[in-house]
Amino acid sequence: MTEQGDERIRRAFENKTWQEIKVTDSWQIFKIMAEFVEGFEKMAKIGPCVSIFGSARTPRDHVSYELAEKCARLLTERGYGVISGGGPGIMEAANKGAYEAGGKSVGLNIDLPFEQFNNEFIDRDKLIEFNYFFVRKVIFTKYSQGYIILPGGFGTMDELFEAITLVQTGKMARFPIVLVGKEYYGGLFDWIQNTMLKAGNISEEDLNLYRLEDTAEDAVQHIFNFYEKYLLKPNF
């Protein structure tokens, strides 16, 4: 653990005056509000978008990077915008694919001590900086019409299961959630079906909340098909 982490733990056990608590917590509320306001104002100007998630650690010569780039290109060719986390790896690939296809893309960047920095394929006016993960996730879900999930780590899992949970509980309208990489994600979803479902902790219909694919073409086609049944498509 870092020295900063140790200090946070020690502070949590210190005696504090009511005035100290009131001042620090109140100012934090205003910082959170400011992030929501900026996110809502900037994202309200964007049309239908698909969020592309995956690891920040993915190198540029990796097959997952190429898949993310291709997904973004195919989406923008059909009029969709692309939302990424704004950083390197899969996020960079998503913004790059949209940029090179002449489409719209946005980066919702998070301030982290490592891994995260702005990639070069986002215009400054389409980059939003966040300190709070939960605010960032609200913006992702509020303004996305679909999720494409490439291989990633804990952060990717967090975003994936947040979306599935919100749809499952009816807190958010149903939208397509597609995972790309059957070999990578297959074991996880075998466990969900063979362990979680058998234990009665989810329902059979919950298995229909997501889809596994292997190619960029199949991933984006699932999103196109989902909205075409409602006779909906983005305005070019």
Side-chain angles (χ1 to χ4, degrees), residues 119-150:
N119 69 65
E120 61 189 287
F121 300 101
I122 313 169
D123 294 335
R124 287 301 306 174
D125 63 338
K126 299 206 172 46
L127 177 70
I128 309 175
E129 304 276 1
F130 295 91
N131 286 306
Y132 299 98
F133 268 111
F134 72 92
V135 178
R136 182 180 182 236
K137 285 197 291 184
V138 168
I139 302 301
F140 267 122
T141 55
K142 182 176 175 60
Y143 294 100
S144 292
Q145 277 64 57
Y147 274 19
I148 292 179
I149 315 287
L150 280 295

Side-chain angles (χ1 to χ4, degrees), residues 6 14 21 29 36 62 95 103 107 142 160 191 208-209 228:
D6 286 339
E14 291 175 356
I21 295 170
I29 289 170
F36 273 124
H62 195 279
N95 292 123
K142 182 176 175 60
L160 166 63
W191 177 83
N208 298 320
L209 297 177
E228 282 170 2

Side-chain angles (χ1 to χ4, degrees), residues 48-195:
C49 287
V50 174
S51 289
I52 299 178
F53 296 106
S55 177
R57 306 182 189 193
T58 306
R60 290 178 175 176
D61 59 354
H62 195 279
V63 63
S64 294
Y65 187 101
E66 296 171 7
L67 282 168
E69 198 175 341
K70 190 169 188 179
C71 284
R73 185 169 67 253
L74 293 171
L75 287 165
T76 56
E77 286 173 356
R78 290 286 288 268
Y80 287 88
V82 169
I83 304 174
S84 87
I90 295 298
M91 297 173 280
E92 177 187 280
N95 292 123
K96 180 183 178 185
Y99 175 82
E100 292 184 346
K104 298 178 184 176
S105 78
V106 181
L108 307 183
N109 197 40
I110 186 77
D111 183 22
L112 295 177
F114 55 90
E115 283 189 8
Q116 190 81 358
F117 52 85
N118 304 339
N119 69 65
E120 61 189 287
F121 300 101
I122 313 169
D123 294 335
R124 287 301 306 174
D125 63 338
K126 299 206 172 46
L127 177 70
I128 309 175
E129 304 276 1
F130 295 91
N131 286 306
Y132 299 98
F133 268 111
F134 72 92
V135 178
R136 182 180 182 236
K137 285 197 291 184
V138 168
I139 302 301
F140 267 122
T141 55
K142 182 176 175 60
Y143 294 100
S144 292
Q145 277 64 57
Y147 274 19
I148 292 179
I149 315 287
L150 280 295
F154 291 144
T156 303
M157 295 300 100
D158 179 41
E159 289 150 347
L160 166 63
F161 285 106
E162 172 92 1
I164 292 175
T165 301
L166 290 172
V167 173
Q168 179 206 43
T169 56
K171 294 296 183 181
M172 185 171 66
R174 175 76 182 271
F175 66 55
I177 300 169
V178 190
L179 295 99
V180 184
K182 291 181 181 178
E183 183 178 354
Y184 187 87
Y185 284 113
L188 171 64
F189 287 99
D190 284 345
W191 177 83
I192 288 175
Q193 183 167 357
N194 297 325
T195 302

Side-chain angles (χ1 to χ4, degrees), residues 1-11 111-113:
M1 185 177 290
T2 64
E3 289 184 14
Q4 185 181 22
D6 286 339
E7 181 60 28
R8 285 183 180 179
I9 291 173
R10 283 194 291 270
R11 281 205 310 269
D111 183 22
L112 295 177

